Amino acid sequence: MPLLEVKDLKAYYFISRGAVKAVDNVSIDLEKGESLGLAGESGCGKSTLGFALMNMLPPPGRVVAGSIKIDGQEIVGMKEDELRKRIRWQEIAMIFQGAMNVLNPVYTVGYQVAEPLIYHKGMGKKEAIEEAKKYLELVGLDPNIVNRYPHELSGGMKQRAVIATALIMSPKVLIADEPTTALDVIVQAQIINLLKELKRKLGLSIIIISHDLSVISELADRLAIMYAGKIVELGPSDSVYSDPVHPYTKALLNAIPRLRKKQERLEFIPGAPPNLLSPPPGCRIHPRCPYRFEPCDKEEPELVEVRPGHFVACHLYTRR
Amino acid sequence: MRWSDFVESLKDFWFEYKRQKIGMLGLAILLFFIGLAIVGPRFYPAEMSRKWRDVTYWQNYPRSARPSWINYFSSHKMPPHLIIAEYEVSERMIGANIREYVATFNYDHEYDEPPSDLILTFRRQVADPTKPPTMTFVLLRPDGREIELISKKLSEAGNQTRIVITSDRGALSTAYAFGREFETPENLEKVHFELTNPALPLFSKAQPGILLGNEAEPLKGTYTIRVTFYFQNPEDKIEDLTLIIGGRVYGLLGTDENRRDLFAGLIWGTRVSLLIGILTSVLSVFFGIFYGVMSAYLGGWKDEILQRIYEIMSSIPTLPILILLSAIYKPSIWWIIFFLVVFGWMGTSRMARSMAYQIKEMDYVEAARAVGASGFWIVRKHVMPQILPYAFASMALSVPSAILTEAGLSFLGLGDINRVTWGQILHDAQSTAATIKGMWWWVLPPGLAMALLGLSFAFIGAALNTILFPKLKTL
Amino acid sequence: MVEAKEAVLMDSKEAVMKVENLRKYFMIRRSFGEFITGKPPRYVKAVDGVSFAIKPKEVFALVGESGCGKTTTGKLIVKLLRPSGGRIYFNGTDVTELSTEEEIEYRKRVQIIFQDPYSSLDPRFRVYDILEEPLLITKVGETKAERRELIYKALEEVRLVPQEEFIGRFPHQLSGGQRQRVAIARALILNPEFLVADEPVSMLDLSIRAEILELMRELKERHGLTYLYITHDLSTARFFCDRIAVMYLGKIVELATSDRLIENPVHPYTKALLIAVPEPDPSQRHVMKEIPIIGEVPSAVNIPPGCRFHPRCPYRFEPCDKEEPELIEVEPDHYVACHLVSKK
C-alpha cells in the first residue's frame, strides 16, 4: 500500500463568477522514501494540490471530491481538530513557497522551529528548543542559532530553518513548494543537496512542487506534469526526461535553456494557459497543441499506461 | 487617465460602495444633515444665526419651552406658543378729548398647564409726549371672573412698547391677590409670593390649590383679553398690537432659557459644523498630501528638513495651543479652520510620504525616468492618481475630529461669537446648568447631532477604506 | 593595473558601450548619534571598479548572485543612478556628464527592460498610455496620429497583434508574457540602439521565458541592437549571449565568450557557479553535488581585503588575503582575476 494515495481529487476555489477548477480529478500515489516532482506553469494548480494534501486550502478554496489517504487513513472530511492533532505536521508537512521571508521577525529562530512541538504536542518550551537544536543540526545549521533572530540569518540559512520546522514533528511526507525559488544558484544547489540528504537519511517521502524542471530533475524519482488542473503525464523521471510522450511535456523540456549544450533555438508554447473558471472542452491543451486532431476538442483524454509506470493523457496515444 | 476611464472607475466604485452597508448608513446620515443644512435655512432666516446672541431678537419667544411633540406622548397637555394679532376693535369718544380704543383678544385654553408668559407688544404714535395715553389690561376668565392686571400710563420714551404682563410687579400682586381669596390657610403657608407664577392663578380653577403648582387645576375654556387704551389726543394711534401667549412647548426642539429656538440653532449649527468639518479636512488632507509628496519627491536633505518640521508639528499638543490662540484672538470661524488645518495635516502627510516613496521605487517609475521623465511628470502621472483615492478616505475620516475640535473650543466659550454652533449651544446649556434643570431638549440634540455627523463620516471613511485599500495593496 | 584594463578594453574603439573603472558606493544612513559623534559614513560598495566594452550587435551578459552589483551597473549605464567614479562611453563619447539636451538624446538611444513585468507597468495605465508615455516625455511624435502609428508599430514588433485588441487593456488583463512584451515595446518605441535587459525572463514561466528570449533575439537581428543582459542564470546567458562577465561583490572576476566561459571556467567562483546550476537530467538525482565554495556571499559593506572571494575560496593561498588580483588574459578574449593564474 502506498504511503500517500490520492484518488480523483477535486479542489476548487469558489468565487463570485463561479468555481475555479484548480485541481480537477487528480490521482497520484507516493511510496515510502520516494520523491515525486510536480511541475507545470504558474496557475496550473500544483500549489493548490499541495495545500489540498495538507487539507488546509485557504478559503474560498475547498476540496470538493476525491480521497487523500495517508498510511491508509482518509483525511478528506476529517475534522479540523483531529487533523491538527494527528495529521498535519505529524504525518504530512509542507514547506510553503517563500516561507523563509515570512519568518516572524520578533521571535527567535529556535522558538519558531520548535513552535509545532509546543503548539501540537504541548511540549515545554525548553524541551522543545532542545529538540529544535537537533533538527537545526540535521539541516546543516549551527544549533546555537536558536537564540538568533531571522534578520541575522542569510536567505539560505532561513530556508534551512524553515525545513527544520517542517521536519520537527518527524512527518512521513514532506511537501516542498518551490523550495529554491528566490535563492541564488549556489544556495539553491546547497538546499537541493540538503533535501537529497534528508531523503536518504530519514527515508522521507518528498513531493517537490516547482515550475523549474531542472530543479525537479535533481530530486524526483517520479515526475508528474500538470496542466490546467490536470495531470497530463506521470512516470519515472528517467523515462519522462529521456523520452517524453505528451506534446506539452516535450515542449516544456525543449524550452529549458541548457548550460552544457549549445542550442540554436528554444522551443516555446504559444499562447497562455486557460482560465480555470471555464477551461476549454475536451483536452485542455488542445488550443495550444500543434498536433491536435478531431477528438481533442470534444473528448477528454484518460491517463493511459504507455510504458511500465509511465502514464500519459493524450489522444495521440489513445486514438491513434 | 482618460475621462471615460474616470467615469468607469467611479461607476465601479459606486457598485462596490453600494454593497458596504455601513457606508450606505453613513451616507444616509450625511445626506440627512446636508439636506437639513440646505433646506432648513429656507424656513429659518439667516438673522437667527447672526442674532443668536441678541436677547431682544428672541424676546417674543417662550422661555425654556419643551419641544411641542412631547404633547403627543403625554396626557398632560402643554400650551403651545401663540402670537395673536387678530382682535376685535371698538372705539368711542369719552368726553371731548379722550378716545377709548378697546382691543378684544380671544384665547382658547385647553391645556393642563398655564401659559408661561403673557406679553403685549405694540407701537404707539403719540402726538404730544406730555399727554401720554393710558392703558388697561383685563383678563376675562371662562368662569366669568374678571381681573384687571395692568392699568398704567404709557409715559416711557420711545414708541415701541413691550409689556410682559407676567413679569409686571403690579400684575403679579393682582394675580396673587386673586388666588389668595380661594386658598386655604394651610396652603398659603406653603406659598411664597415671589415664587408664584402669575399665570398659575389666572388660568386655574378658583378653588383651594390655585396657588400651588402641583395642586392647581387648570381652568379650560375661552379667555377674553381686553386691552383698553385711552388717548388724550384723538389723533394718537396704536399699531401692530400683538398678544403673545407664552407657550410651554415650542417648535421641534423647544427653546432655551434665553428664549432662543433650539431647532434654528441646530440647523444653523449644522451648516457651520459641515463647513468646518469638510473644509478643514479637505484643506488639511490636500496640504498633507502636498507636503508628503514633496518631501518624498525632493528626498535627501530637503526631505530631512521637511520631516523635522513635520515632527515638531506633530509633537505640539493641538488642543491646548488652540485654546490659547482662541482665547487671545477670539477668532472667526475662518481663523478656526485655518488653525485646525495648520495643526491637522500631519497624519496625511506621513501616509502620503510613505506611499510616494513606495511608488517612487516602482519599476514603472524607473522606466519613466529612464526616458527622462521629470519629477513633476512622475508625481502627476504615477504618484497622485494612486494617492488620491486614499485622500478621500482620509478626508472622510478626519472630518469628525475637526467637528469635535471646533465643538470643543465653542464649548469652552472660545468659538466664533457671530455664529451658532452646536458647541456654543452646549456651552450655553452648560453655563446655565441646563442638565441640572432637566432641560434635555437643550443638551441632547446638539450632542446627538455631533455624534451622528461624526459617526456618518467615520462610517463612510471605514467603507472607503475597505474598498480602496485592498486595491492599493495589489498595486 | 592600467595594463590589465587596457587589455579588457582592447577593442574599445569599436565598442558601442564601454565602461571604465565604474564605481557606485551607496552611503549607509547614519543614526543621529553617529552623525553627532562624527563617525565616518560607511558605504555599500555595490559596484567597485568595473570595466568592460560591448561590441556592436553583441549580447553581453553580466552574471552573478544577488548583491553582486550587476543591476546597479545596468542602472548606472541607463543613468538611473549617478556613478561615484569611473566613466561610461557610448559610441566613443563620454556620457558620464551630459547637458540636458544631450541626455535626452542619450536616453532615446539607450533603454532598459526590467525584471518584474508586474511592477514595471503602472497598473492604472492602459497599454496605449504605457507606450505613449516615453513619446510624450521625449516629445517624439508630434501629433496624436504620429504617436499612434509608432505605438502600433512597436506592438507589432513584439507581436501583440491585432493591436486594437491590446491597446485598451490594463496590465492586469495581460498574461505575464504579454506584460513583458509590452515592457519590451516600451523600451523599443524610441528606436534605441542599446538595450539593458535586467533579468527580463527570471520572473516568467519556463515556456514564456523561451518565447521572450526568442523575441529579443529576433529584435536584435532586425534592428541591429546591442544588449547588456543582466542575469543570475548562466543557462539563459549561454543561450542568449556572446560574451559573459561573472561578477562577484562589485567586481568582474572572469570574462570570456559564452562557450569558453562555460566549457573552460578558470576562476574558482565561476566553477562553483557552473557546478551549482541544475540540469534537467534525472540521472544525477542520487548524487550529491560537490560545490567547491564555502559559506555565503558576505555583505558589500565589509568587503574582504585582497581577493574578495578568498574567504570562500577552497584554493586560497598566501597572497589572496593581501593583494587584489588583476584581470589577466589567460587565452584570447578570456580574462580572469585570480592569483591562481597570476601568481602561480
PDB file of all heavy atoms in Angstrom, chain C residues 69-91:
ATOM      1  N   GLY C  69      26.128  43.459  -7.710  1.00  0.00           N
ATOM      2  CA  GLY C  69      26.285  44.759  -8.350  1.00  0.00           C
ATOM      3  C   GLY C  69      25.901  44.778  -9.810  1.00  0.00           C
ATOM      4  O   GLY C  69      26.061  45.794 -10.481  1.00  0.00           O
ATOM      5  N   LYS C  70      25.348  43.685 -10.307  1.00  0.00           N
ATOM      6  CA  LYS C  70      25.054  43.643 -11.747  1.00  0.00           C
ATOM      7  C   LYS C  70      23.916  44.588 -12.121  1.00  0.00           C
ATOM      8  O   LYS C  70      23.994  45.318 -13.102  1.00  0.00           O
ATOM      9  CB  LYS C  70      24.761  42.211 -12.202  1.00  0.00           C
ATOM     10  CG  LYS C  70      23.649  41.495 -11.439  1.00  0.00           C
ATOM     11  CD  LYS C  70      23.619  40.017 -11.824  1.00  0.00           C
ATOM     12  CE  LYS C  70      22.324  39.337 -11.381  1.00  0.00           C
ATOM     13  NZ  LYS C  70      22.103  39.298  -9.924  1.00  0.00           N
ATOM     14  N   THR C  71      22.849  44.617 -11.276  1.00  0.00           N
ATOM     15  CA  THR C  71      21.732  45.512 -11.570  1.00  0.00           C
ATOM     16  C   THR C  71      22.151  46.977 -11.434  1.00  0.00           C
ATOM     17  O   THR C  71      21.778  47.825 -12.244  1.00  0.00           O
ATOM     18  CB  THR C  71      20.555  45.203 -10.634  1.00  0.00           C
ATOM     19  OG1 THR C  71      20.103  43.884 -10.918  1.00  0.00           O
ATOM     20  CG2 THR C  71      19.406  46.153 -10.851  1.00  0.00           C
ATOM     21  N   THR C  72      22.968  47.265 -10.417  1.00  0.00           N
ATOM     22  CA  THR C  72      23.450  48.632 -10.239  1.00  0.00           C
ATOM     23  C   THR C  72      24.239  49.077 -11.469  1.00  0.00           C
ATOM     24  O   THR C  72      24.074  50.210 -11.937  1.00  0.00           O
ATOM     25  CB  THR C  72      24.327  48.723  -8.974  1.00  0.00           C
ATOM     26  OG1 THR C  72      23.602  48.149  -7.899  1.00  0.00           O
ATOM     27  CG2 THR C  72      24.688  50.151  -8.661  1.00  0.00           C
ATOM     28  N   THR C  73      25.064  48.175 -11.995  1.00  0.00           N
ATOM     29  CA  THR C  73      25.817  48.512 -13.202  1.00  0.00           C
ATOM     30  C   THR C  73      24.862  48.893 -14.331  1.00  0.00           C
ATOM     31  O   THR C  73      25.059  49.900 -15.025  1.00  0.00           O
ATOM     32  CB  THR C  73      26.694  47.313 -13.636  1.00  0.00           C
ATOM     33  OG1 THR C  73      27.453  46.894 -12.513  1.00  0.00           O
ATOM     34  CG2 THR C  73      27.611  47.688 -14.769  1.00  0.00           C
ATOM     35  N   GLY C  74      23.802  48.085 -14.493  1.00  0.00           N
ATOM     36  CA  GLY C  74      22.822  48.373 -15.533  1.00  0.00           C
ATOM     37  C   GLY C  74      22.175  49.727 -15.331  1.00  0.00           C
ATOM     38  O   GLY C  74      22.032  50.519 -16.273  1.00  0.00           O
ATOM     39  N   LYS C  75      21.823  50.037 -14.096  1.00  0.00           N
ATOM     40  CA  LYS C  75      21.161  51.320 -13.833  1.00  0.00           C
ATOM     41  C   LYS C  75      22.121  52.492 -14.027  1.00  0.00           C
ATOM     42  O   LYS C  75      21.688  53.590 -14.386  1.00  0.00           O
ATOM     43  CB  LYS C  75      20.596  51.336 -12.414  1.00  0.00           C
ATOM     44  CG  LYS C  75      19.362  50.459 -12.305  1.00  0.00           C
ATOM     45  CD  LYS C  75      18.640  50.611 -10.993  1.00  0.00           C
ATOM     46  CE  LYS C  75      17.371  49.783 -11.012  1.00  0.00           C
ATOM     47  NZ  LYS C  75      16.747  49.722  -9.688  1.00  0.00           N
ATOM     48  N   LEU C  76      23.401  52.259 -13.766  1.00  0.00           N
ATOM     49  CA  LEU C  76      24.382  53.323 -14.000  1.00  0.00           C
ATOM     50  C   LEU C  76      24.461  53.620 -15.497  1.00  0.00           C
ATOM     51  O   LEU C  76      24.528  54.775 -15.913  1.00  0.00           O
ATOM     52  CB  LEU C  76      25.753  52.901 -13.483  1.00  0.00           C
ATOM     53  CG  LEU C  76      25.921  52.898 -11.961  1.00  0.00           C
ATOM     54  CD1 LEU C  76      27.212  52.179 -11.580  1.00  0.00           C
ATOM     55  CD2 LEU C  76      25.933  54.324 -11.432  1.00  0.00           C
ATOM     56  N   ILE C  77      24.400  52.547 -16.296  1.00  0.00           N
ATOM     57  CA  ILE C  77      24.546  52.737 -17.734  1.00  0.00           C
ATOM     58  C   ILE C  77      23.355  53.501 -18.314  1.00  0.00           C
ATOM     59  O   ILE C  77      23.515  54.366 -19.160  1.00  0.00           O
ATOM     60  CB  ILE C  77      24.754  51.372 -18.422  1.00  0.00           C
ATOM     61  CG1 ILE C  77      26.183  50.886 -18.129  1.00  0.00           C
ATOM     62  CG2 ILE C  77      24.526  51.465 -19.933  1.00  0.00           C
ATOM     63  CD1 ILE C  77      26.502  49.530 -18.653  1.00  0.00           C
ATOM     64  N   VAL C  78      22.131  53.196 -17.829  1.00  0.00           N
ATOM     65  CA  VAL C  78      20.990  53.941 -18.361  1.00  0.00           C
ATOM     66  C   VAL C  78      20.782  55.238 -17.590  1.00  0.00           C
ATOM     67  O   VAL C  78      19.768  55.913 -17.762  1.00  0.00           O
ATOM     68  CB  VAL C  78      19.683  53.112 -18.348  1.00  0.00           C
ATOM     69  CG1 VAL C  78      19.813  51.932 -19.275  1.00  0.00           C
ATOM     70  CG2 VAL C  78      19.322  52.665 -16.960  1.00  0.00           C
ATOM     71  N   LYS C  79      21.718  55.575 -16.726  1.00  0.00           N
ATOM     72  CA  LYS C  79      21.700  56.836 -15.996  1.00  0.00           C
ATOM     73  C   LYS C  79      20.490  56.981 -15.097  1.00  0.00           C
ATOM     74  O   LYS C  79      19.899  58.046 -14.965  1.00  0.00           O
ATOM     75  CB  LYS C  79      21.807  58.030 -16.958  1.00  0.00           C
ATOM     76  CG  LYS C  79      23.180  58.087 -17.630  1.00  0.00           C
ATOM     77  CD  LYS C  79      23.331  59.251 -18.571  1.00  0.00           C
ATOM     78  CE  LYS C  79      23.659  60.541 -17.871  1.00  0.00           C
ATOM     79  NZ  LYS C  79      24.990  60.573 -17.256  1.00  0.00           N
ATOM     80  N   LEU C  80      20.117  55.871 -14.484  1.00  0.00           N
ATOM     81  CA  LEU C  80      19.129  55.966 -13.412  1.00  0.00           C
ATOM     82  C   LEU C  80      19.837  56.242 -12.093  1.00  0.00           C
ATOM     83  O   LEU C  80      19.227  56.621 -11.111  1.00  0.00           O
ATOM     84  CB  LEU C  80      18.320  54.669 -13.303  1.00  0.00           C
ATOM     85  CG  LEU C  80      17.172  54.523 -14.304  1.00  0.00           C
ATOM     86  CD1 LEU C  80      16.572  53.131 -14.225  1.00  0.00           C
ATOM     87  CD2 LEU C  80      16.107  55.574 -14.059  1.00  0.00           C
ATOM     88  N   LEU C  81      21.143  56.013 -12.094  1.00  0.00           N
ATOM     89  CA  LEU C  81      21.965  56.313 -10.923  1.00  0.00           C
ATOM     90  C   LEU C  81      23.184  57.081 -11.401  1.00  0.00           C
ATOM     91  O   LEU C  81      23.611  56.920 -12.541  1.00  0.00           O
ATOM     92  CB  LEU C  81      22.427  55.007 -10.258  1.00  0.00           C
ATOM     93  CG  LEU C  81      21.380  54.114  -9.606  1.00  0.00           C
ATOM     94  CD1 LEU C  81      22.014  52.793  -9.195  1.00  0.00           C
ATOM     95  CD2 LEU C  81      20.783  54.787  -8.382  1.00  0.00           C
ATOM     96  N   ARG C  82      23.728  57.896 -10.505  1.00  0.00           N
ATOM     97  CA  ARG C  82      24.962  58.615 -10.842  1.00  0.00           C
ATOM     98  C   ARG C  82      26.139  57.809 -10.341  1.00  0.00           C
ATOM     99  O   ARG C  82      26.153  57.399  -9.180  1.00  0.00           O
ATOM    100  CB  ARG C  82      24.983  59.975 -10.149  1.00  0.00           C
ATOM    101  CG  ARG C  82      24.052  60.999 -10.730  1.00  0.00           C
ATOM    102  CD  ARG C  82      24.154  62.282  -9.922  1.00  0.00           C
ATOM    103  NE  ARG C  82      25.497  62.862  -9.987  1.00  0.00           N
ATOM    104  CZ  ARG C  82      25.899  63.628 -10.994  1.00  0.00           C
ATOM    105  NH1 ARG C  82      25.075  63.898 -11.988  1.00  0.00           N
ATOM    106  NH2 ARG C  82      27.112  64.127 -11.011  1.00  0.00           N
ATOM    107  N   PRO C  83      27.135  57.590 -11.179  1.00  0.00           N
ATOM    108  CA  PRO C  83      28.292  56.828 -10.702  1.00  0.00           C
ATOM    109  C   PRO C  83      29.080  57.603  -9.649  1.00  0.00           C
ATOM    110  O   PRO C  83      29.120  58.835  -9.665  1.00  0.00           O
ATOM    111  CB  PRO C  83      29.115  56.609 -11.974  1.00  0.00           C
ATOM    112  CG  PRO C  83      28.625  57.609 -12.953  1.00  0.00           C
ATOM    113  CD  PRO C  83      27.233  57.972 -12.577  1.00  0.00           C
ATOM    114  N   SER C  84      29.702  56.870  -8.710  1.00  0.00           N
ATOM    115  CA  SER C  84      30.580  57.532  -7.736  1.00  0.00           C
ATOM    116  C   SER C  84      31.944  57.757  -8.342  1.00  0.00           C
ATOM    117  O   SER C  84      32.745  58.527  -7.832  1.00  0.00           O
ATOM    118  CB  SER C  84      30.727  56.662  -6.485  1.00  0.00           C
ATOM    119  OG  SER C  84      29.478  56.218  -6.054  1.00  0.00           O
ATOM    120  N   GLY C  85      32.228  57.033  -9.426  1.00  0.00           N
ATOM    121  CA  GLY C  85      33.509  57.224 -10.083  1.00  0.00           C
ATOM    122  C   GLY C  85      33.535  56.426 -11.370  1.00  0.00           C
ATOM    123  O   GLY C  85      32.665  55.589 -11.614  1.00  0.00           O
ATOM    124  N   GLY C  86      34.508  56.713 -12.213  1.00  0.00           N
ATOM    125  CA  GLY C  86      34.621  55.976 -13.460  1.00  0.00           C
ATOM    126  C   GLY C  86      33.894  56.672 -14.590  1.00  0.00           C
ATOM    127  O   GLY C  86      33.238  57.701 -14.394  1.00  0.00           O
ATOM    128  N   ARG C  87      34.040  56.075 -15.763  1.00  0.00           N
ATOM    129  CA  ARG C  87      33.498  56.711 -16.974  1.00  0.00           C
ATOM    130  C   ARG C  87      32.636  55.724 -17.748  1.00  0.00           C
ATOM    131  O   ARG C  87      32.861  54.519 -17.709  1.00  0.00           O
ATOM    132  CB  ARG C  87      34.645  57.159 -17.896  1.00  0.00           C
ATOM    133  CG  ARG C  87      35.544  58.213 -17.305  1.00  0.00           C
ATOM    134  CD  ARG C  87      34.973  59.579 -17.569  1.00  0.00           C
ATOM    135  NE  ARG C  87      35.287  60.490 -16.468  1.00  0.00           N
ATOM    136  CZ  ARG C  87      34.600  61.594 -16.206  1.00  0.00           C
ATOM    137  NH1 ARG C  87      33.548  61.915 -16.928  1.00  0.00           N
ATOM    138  NH2 ARG C  87      34.927  62.367 -15.212  1.00  0.00           N
ATOM    139  N   ILE C  88      31.655  56.276 -18.447  1.00  0.00           N
ATOM    140  CA  ILE C  88      30.845  55.474 -19.357  1.00  0.00           C
ATOM    141  C   ILE C  88      30.963  56.127 -20.742  1.00  0.00           C
ATOM    142  O   ILE C  88      30.746  57.334 -20.871  1.00  0.00           O
ATOM    143  CB  ILE C  88      29.366  55.464 -18.929  1.00  0.00           C
ATOM    144  CG1 ILE C  88      29.227  54.928 -17.507  1.00  0.00           C
ATOM    145  CG2 ILE C  88      28.520  54.648 -19.895  1.00  0.00           C
ATOM    146  CD1 ILE C  88      27.871  55.170 -16.887  1.00  0.00           C
ATOM    147  N   TYR C  89      31.347  55.335 -21.739  1.00  0.00           N
ATOM    148  CA  TYR C  89      31.451  55.866 -23.096  1.00  0.00           C
ATOM    149  C   TYR C  89      30.415  55.192 -23.975  1.00  0.00           C
ATOM    150  O   TYR C  89      30.281  53.970 -23.958  1.00  0.00           O
ATOM    151  CB  TYR C  89      32.838  55.613 -23.681  1.00  0.00           C
ATOM    152  CG  TYR C  89      33.934  56.300 -22.917  1.00  0.00           C
ATOM    153  CD1 TYR C  89      34.627  55.624 -21.922  1.00  0.00           C
ATOM    154  CD2 TYR C  89      34.287  57.625 -23.198  1.00  0.00           C
ATOM    155  CE1 TYR C  89      35.627  56.244 -21.199  1.00  0.00           C
ATOM    156  CE2 TYR C  89      35.289  58.247 -22.492  1.00  0.00           C
ATOM    157  CZ  TYR C  89      35.952  57.560 -21.489  1.00  0.00           C
ATOM    158  OH  TYR C  89      36.937  58.180 -20.793  1.00  0.00           O
ATOM    159  N   PHE C  90      29.679  56.005 -24.722  1.00  0.00           N
ATOM    160  CA  PHE C  90      28.691  55.452 -25.655  1.00  0.00           C
ATOM    161  C   PHE C  90      29.120  55.886 -27.048  1.00  0.00           C
ATOM    162  O   PHE C  90      29.202  57.079 -27.327  1.00  0.00           O
ATOM    163  CB  PHE C  90      27.305  55.982 -25.296  1.00  0.00           C
ATOM    164  CG  PHE C  90      26.223  55.489 -26.206  1.00  0.00           C
ATOM    165  CD1 PHE C  90      25.970  54.126 -26.332  1.00  0.00           C
ATOM    166  CD2 PHE C  90      25.437  56.375 -26.917  1.00  0.00           C
ATOM    167  CE1 PHE C  90      24.957  53.665 -27.155  1.00  0.00           C
ATOM    168  CE2 PHE C  90      24.418  55.919 -27.745  1.00  0.00           C
ATOM    169  CZ  PHE C  90      24.181  54.562 -27.860  1.00  0.00           C
ATOM    170  N   ASN C  91      29.425  54.921 -27.881  1.00  0.00           N
ATOM    171  CA  ASN C  91      29.947  55.189 -29.216  1.00  0.00           C
ATOM    172  C   ASN C  91      31.140  56.151 -29.178  1.00  0.00           C
ATOM    173  O   ASN C  91      31.237  57.073 -29.980  1.00  0.00           O
ATOM    174  CB  ASN C  91      28.860  55.776 -30.127  1.00  0.00           C
ATOM    175  CG  ASN C  91      27.859  54.702 -30.547  1.00  0.00           C
ATOM    176  OD1 ASN C  91      28.217  53.535 -30.624  1.00  0.00           O
ATOM    177  ND2 ASN C  91      26.639  55.117 -30.789  1.00  0.00           N
TER     178      ASN C  91
END
